Amino acid sequence: MARVYTIASGKGGTGKTTTTINLGTSLAALGKKTTVLDADLGMANLGLLLGLEEEPVTLHEVLSGDQRIKNAIYEGPEGLQVVPAGLTLEGFQKADPEKLQDALSYIVSNTEYLLIDAPAGLSKDSVIPLAVADEVLLVVNPELSSMADGLKTRVMTDKVGSTVGGIVLTRAGSGGDDLDVSRVEDLLEAEVLVTVPEDAEVRRSASYKKPVVLHSPQSPASQAYKKLAAKLADEEFVEAETVEEEGEGFASKMAKAIFG
Ligand code: ADP
Ligand code: MG
């Protein structure tokens, strides 16, 4: 049975899809069987960011009853399994979010980690992903307005009987007067699992339709997402700088051994 994480926030544009893709790819790269699913049915873009926008069968066709879920699962980077949602308004209108639970029961028995990219807001299609989660990860930015939005998602999560597993504090350091981590933790009553800095590589990698953790693996945002993946997978994370230092240490040891 999979561990189900729902990646949620009160508002759009906080970094949910970026977090879903990069956390998912990092878990897959650690050898964990991982599936990401786009439950943002109205503003789907997870598939688009992974170059799957031409695929004919998506979650929309599954939720309209026209297709089986296993036909909507595609292979992404590092063996990541990807369930995109469709891009048409018609597909969205035909999709019934109530059918999500059935679709998920197939996925959870075929993967170790399921990450659900949740829609913003508090409508039915955003509440169901909160309800099916083992843990909800709140994606917030270090500013007061984002706290207010995150708090609503937190309250809704409690209401549907789910648990907030922690906070992903993204796009940090872009404004200059960020709320600090302890303040964020106090306001949302949850632990900040990782701080993802504002990083131009995120947008650059999106234009290549590649996760930043693969396109620019040493960049600050990539390091943060890999760290989060290691945390969830209960594995040790080695920072890039440390790797380089160890690499140099090894090289100079070799040189000494050879050349004296
Ligand atoms: P959501 O899914 O919550 O709407 P996205 O993941 O699509 O948010 O991110 C919104 C925008 O912010 C995108 O243009 C994305 O490239 C950008 N973005 C996300 N995270 C970062 C980051 N750490 N640094 C810079 N830009 C980011
Ligand atoms: Mg999104």
Side-chain angles (χ1 to χ4, degrees):
M1 280 287 274
R3 184 115 198 113
V4 181
Y5 290 95
T6 292
I7 317 296
S9 72
K11 203 171 57 174
T14 52
K16 291 181 295 299
T17 303
T18 304
T19 297
T20 306
I21 288 175
N22 287 288
L23 177 58
T25 304
S26 301
L27 282 166
L30 289 174
K32 306 291 174 193
K33 196 165 183 203
T34 305
T35 305
V36 292
L37 176 140
D38 193 353
D40 194 352
L41 301 173
M43 296 289 164
N45 57 9
L46 184 119
L48 194 64
L49 284 166
L50 291 169
L52 294 169
E53 67 277 13
E54 304 281 344
E55 301 296 350
V57 180
T58 74
L59 189 60
H60 281 168
E61 286 67 44
V62 177
L63 299 183
S64 66
D66 294 335
Q67 282 284 348
R68 286 165 171 262
I69 180 69
K70 66 175 199 210
N71 297 329
I73 304 176
Y74 298 89
E75 174 138 349
E78 302 288 319
L80 178 69
Q81 308 274 300
V82 185
V83 182
L87 300 174
T88 67
L89 190 56
E90 194 200 347
F92 168 64
Q93 284 164 337
K94 281 168 72 183
D96 174 8
E98 302 265 12
K99 290 201 173 77
L100 188 62
Q101 219 134 350
D102 282 347
L104 292 185
S105 62
Y106 174 85
I107 296 175
V108 292
S109 52
N110 287 289
T111 195
E112 285 175 87
Y113 290 88
L114 169 61
L115 309 182
I116 301 177
D117 186 4
L122 301 169
S123 59
K124 192 196 279 175
D125 55 335
S126 61
V127 172
I128 292 171
L130 298 178
V132 299
D134 292 314
E135 288 181 42
V136 172
L137 302 185
L138 293 177
V139 179
V140 296
N141 306 136
E143 61 202 26
L144 216 46
S145 65
S146 190
M147 295 304 113
D149 299 328
L151 198 54
K152 284 185 197 143
T153 307
R154 172 140 226 132
V155 169
M156 192 53 90
T157 302
D158 295 341
K159 226 175 204 162
V160 297
S162 288
T163 312
V164 171
I167 299 164
V168 180
L169 188 61
T170 63
R171 312 202 61 174
S174 58
D177 48 1
D178 283 8
L179 292 175
D180 56 27
V181 168
S182 61
R183 182 107 171 89
V184 172
E185 291 181 330
D186 284 349
L187 288 166
L188 297 178
E189 290 175 27
E191 181 196 352
V192 171
L193 300 173
V194 74
T195 300
V196 183
E198 176 77 14
D199 181 347
E201 288 300 312
V202 170
R203 220 162 271 188
R204 194 162 300 139
S205 66
S207 67
Y208 289 95
K209 297 187 181 172
K210 262 185 104 172
V212 70
V213 291
L214 296 181
H215 187 256
S216 186
Q218 314 286 43
S219 75
S222 295
Q223 290 293 306
Y225 282 121
K226 288 195 244 181
K227 198 169 176 174
L228 178 59
K231 203 168 201 173
L232 298 189
D234 228 351
E235 289 192 9
E236 208 182 323
F237 174 73
V238 186
E239 298 262 0
E241 292 83 28
T242 323
V243 173
E244 271 166 30
E245 270 168 35
E246 275 174 7
E248 274 173 34
F250 179 68
S252 65
K253 259 187 218 155
M254 281 297 282
K256 254 189 212 147
I258 296 168
F259 305 109

